[in-house]
Amino acid sequence: MKTGLFFIAIFFLMLCPDTASAQYYNPYGGGVDRSIGSEVRQNKPKKNSKEKVDMGESWATYLDKEIKLDGLQFAAVKAIINDNKNSIEELSKSNLHIQEKKDKMREIMDKIDVEILKLLSKDQSAKYLKMKEDNEKKAMTY
């Protein structure tokens, strides 16, 4: 009887540490991950991945950072991009062959480049063309 009680006690003691550790998170298995839903408990706003980004604003800001646009140039670049935004979006959603999409996108981008280059000074134009060439080299390496 004592040996049976002894084995039951040993069995019970072997299970106790496992049940106590079930309350703590272990990334390798077991436990409760209490970080799930922490943004709700901390009253953090959820990140909305569907935010509308103004394409013209982002391009103009990028060019301003790279080649230092003045206010008139900034507004004109923003307007040029927004004028062509619909054709770019339609092209990206179309079911054309990849090469056809690339060719049509190249036409649109060349048209945009011509319009933007008309607005820039000689120094800005040189920087813009160098920046465009560098970006094309980067795109070819992918």
Side-chain angles (χ1 to χ4, degrees), residues 8-135:
I8 292 174
I10 295 295
F11 180 74
F12 181 76
L13 289 174
M14 292 177 78
L15 290 179
C16 286
D18 288 338
T19 57
S21 67
Q23 296 300 317
Y24 301 100
Y25 178 63
N26 179 359
Y28 302 108
V32 178
D33 184 2
R34 297 191 187 279
S35 67
I36 297 172
S38 64
E39 65 274 356
V40 175
R41 290 192 306 270
Q42 296 172 1
N43 295 327
K44 290 182 183 176
K46 292 183 181 179
K47 293 181 181 178
N48 188 359
S49 62
K50 297 287 183 178
E51 284 183 22
K52 293 281 185 176
V53 177
D54 184 15
M55 190 183 298
E57 182 78 28
S58 62
W59 276 41
T61 303
Y62 174 72
L63 288 178
D64 185 34
K65 184 181 93 173
E66 296 294 321
I67 61 175
K68 308 291 186 245
L69 300 175
D70 63 23
L72 180 62
Q73 291 172 328
F74 186 90
V77 167
K78 184 177 173 182
I80 290 168
I81 300 303
N82 284 334
D83 289 345
N84 292 289
K85 179 174 69 170
N86 291 337
S87 58
I88 293 170
E89 288 175 349
E90 287 174 10
L91 184 60
S92 66
K93 293 177 184 176
S94 70
N95 293 330
L96 295 175
H97 187 269
I98 293 173
Q99 191 59 42
E100 291 177 36
K101 277 187 180 182
K102 285 181 180 180
D103 293 340
K104 289 190 178 192
M105 186 63 78
R106 172 70 56 202
E107 290 174 14
I108 294 170
M109 295 307 295
D110 288 343
K111 178 182 153 190
I112 290 172
D113 288 339
V114 167
E115 292 179 28
I116 288 176
L117 284 170
K118 289 179 187 176
L119 302 169
L120 303 177
S121 68
K122 288 183 182 181
D123 293 337
Q124 288 174 325
S125 296
K127 288 180 184 177
Y128 182 80
L129 292 173
K130 172 89 170 91
M131 181 184 65
K132 184 179 175 191
E133 182 181 315
D134 292 344
N135 288 341

Side-chain angles (χ1 to χ4, degrees), residues 130 132-142:
K130 172 89 170 91
K132 184 179 175 191
E133 182 181 315
D134 292 344
N135 288 341
E136 286 176 358
K137 284 181 183 177
K138 286 179 189 176
M140 296 300 270
T141 61
Y142 291 116

